[in-house]
Amino acid sequence: MKQSKRTIIVAVIFSLLTTVFAMSGDGNNEPAKQTQEVKQDAQVENAEQLDQTKSNSTAKDWFGFDTGMTEKEFQEHQEVYIQRWIEFHEAPQAKHGKRVFKNETKENEFLERIRNKALISYQQRLNLNAIPKFEKFGIGSGDYFAGYDAHGVEPYTYATTISQVVIHGVVTIGYDSLKHAGYYLKPIEIVKGGFYYEKLPDIIPFNVWGELNDGQEYIVFLGVNSNTKDINKLNKIRLENIGLPLNIRDKTKVYSGLYYIGEISEIKSKIREIDHVNDTQNFYNRSYK
């Protein structure tokens, strides 16, 4: 009888051990499989939550400025602008019939150039809706497709519309870490685009056409003349000159090249008026359909 009970106990223990090993082995391990599935479900859920967080966060533009849009909305806003720019560019040509290209390659190259120009104008925050209003400043719509030599009566007015920042300051000539000579601007006042900076910068490096006089006051029109998508901060790069700098002489008189064009208060007032018409700061709050 005792032998029989011992046999039964051993059999029960053996049976239990067999079941445990079967559950944790490489066979059809249902509990282990369920655990793995739970982990995978958690990973998927976490990934979805991360994607949702990204989609709900606001996108920043090339200069670190918060657009107030999601990344998807930002891309859609940009594409609508580009398509409007293409239509705007092609409107005069439409009067003479559809533009004819020798082959598809030429057509694609042309469209790529137009898209690049449109993207630069988008970065510059040029308000397409305001272009007809610029005529009162001597700026024709064709100036935006004719290059820098067709700027209307007063070139600086055109430069104002396509510059990220317009700054009154003192020019100095210095050298970078590689001993290359370069121009630097010590700002006196940011006439346009002050929202790009948290405070008035001590110095702004920039490239310019021609030569400027060391220690002289100028009003310069600066920005990015490239469709690069990797800039991060406007105040972290060497800006490009996007218009003929205006020289200030005798403290108040402003010259464009050799020609006197007005008093500094008058010129600054007109720059601010153009910026007001362009409504630069609200660029991303506007539809371009």
Side-chain angles (χ1 to χ4, degrees), residues 131-144 150-159 161 270 274:
I131 287 180
K133 302 175 183 178
F134 292 151
E135 290 183 0
K136 70 176 183 177
F137 303 109
I139 308 168
S141 60
D143 291 339
Y144 293 98
H151 302 165
V153 178
E154 296 173 310
Y156 80 90
T157 60
Y158 171 85
T161 67
K270 186 167 287 187
I274 293 171

Side-chain angles (χ1 to χ4, degrees), residues 16 49-50 150 164 238 248 284:
L16 289 172
Q49 290 176 348
L50 181 61
Q164 264 96 19
R238 179 174 288 274
I248 301 169
Y284 295 122

Side-chain angles (χ1 to χ4, degrees), residues 231-284:
I231 297 174
N232 299 326
K233 290 285 186 180
L234 194 66
N235 59 352
K236 297 293 184 183
I237 62 173
R238 179 174 288 274
L239 295 172
E240 297 289 333
N241 171 63
I242 305 184
L244 182 65
L246 303 180
N247 185 214
I248 301 169
R249 305 175 192 171
D250 301 324
K251 296 183 178 180
T252 64
K253 300 184 183 304
V254 182
Y255 286 78
S256 178
L258 299 175
Y259 301 98
Y260 170 74
I261 61 173
E263 295 295 302
I264 188 170
S265 58
E266 172 191 350
I267 301 302
K268 284 185 176 181
S269 177
K270 186 167 287 187
I271 290 171
R272 292 190 185 99
E273 184 182 357
I274 293 171
D275 188 35
H276 178 73
V277 171
N278 192 69
D279 195 14
T280 309
Q281 194 161 356
N282 289 310
F283 179 83
Y284 295 122

Side-chain angles (χ1 to χ4, degrees), residues 16-245:
L16 289 172
L17 289 173
T18 302
T19 301
V20 170
F21 283 121
M23 290 174 64
S24 60
D26 294 331
N28 294 328
N29 186 344
E30 190 62 29
K33 180 180 179 182
Q34 290 177 354
T35 301
Q36 184 65 24
E37 288 176 348
V38 169
K39 289 181 178 179
Q40 290 176 346
D41 289 344
Q43 290 173 349
V44 170
E45 184 177 351
N46 289 338
E48 290 176 347
Q49 290 176 348
L50 181 61
D51 289 342
Q52 185 66 28
T53 300
K54 287 181 178 179
S55 65
N56 291 334
S57 62
T58 53
K60 290 182 172 54
D61 67 10
W62 299 266
F63 315 113
F65 189 89
D66 193 338
T67 65
M69 296 181 278
T70 65
E71 186 63 37
K72 181 180 179 182
E73 290 170 339
F74 179 47
Q75 296 301 324
E76 290 174 348
H77 189 261
Q78 178 179 296
E79 186 59 32
V80 167
Y81 182 97
I82 290 174
Q83 291 304 318
R84 172 87 178 277
W85 179 271
I86 292 174
E87 292 172 6
F88 181 48
H89 181 274
E90 291 295 275
Q93 181 65 25
K95 298 178 182 178
H96 307 288
K98 183 176 175 59
R99 189 183 296 271
V100 179
F101 297 90
K102 292 181 179 180
N103 53 55
E104 186 176 346
T105 300
K106 292 292 184 182
E107 182 176 3
N108 290 338
E109 289 175 353
F110 172 79
L111 290 175
E112 186 64 21
R113 286 197 302 272
I114 299 302
R115 285 187 65 87
N116 286 342
K117 179 65 175 100
L119 182 56
I120 292 172
S121 296
Y122 188 86
Q123 290 178 336
Q124 293 168 339
R125 299 203 200 190
L126 173 63
N127 179 0
L128 292 179
N129 301 334
I131 287 180
K133 302 175 183 178
F134 292 151
E135 290 183 0
K136 70 176 183 177
F137 303 109
I139 308 168
S141 60
D143 291 339
Y144 293 98
F145 308 107
Y148 292 115
D149 295 328
H151 302 165
V153 178
E154 296 173 310
Y156 80 90
T157 60
Y158 171 85
T160 297
T161 67
I162 63 170
S163 300
Q164 264 96 19
V165 291
V166 180
I167 303 175
H168 168 211
V170 178
V171 165
T172 61
I173 300 175
Y175 296 86
D176 61 20
S177 59
L178 298 177
K179 306 300 181 184
H180 295 151
Y183 286 101
Y184 299 84
L185 188 70
K186 184 172 180 55
I188 296 172
E189 180 184 10
I190 299 178
V191 189
K192 173 191 174 183
F195 58 83
Y196 281 114
Y197 301 94
E198 294 180 0
K199 62 179 182 178
L200 191 69
D202 293 328
I203 202 79
I204 297 175
F206 69 100
N207 297 324
V208 66
W209 312 324
E211 296 182 0
L212 302 181
N213 296 321
D214 190 19
Q216 290 286 310
E217 282 187 34
Y218 290 88
I219 295 176
V220 292
F221 305 86
L222 303 175
V224 177
N225 196 22
S226 166
N227 64 354
T228 178
K229 295 183 178 181
D230 186 20
I231 297 174
N232 299 326
K233 290 285 186 180
L234 194 66
N235 59 352
K236 297 293 184 183
I237 62 173
R238 179 174 288 274
L239 295 172
E240 297 289 333
N241 171 63
I242 305 184
L244 182 65

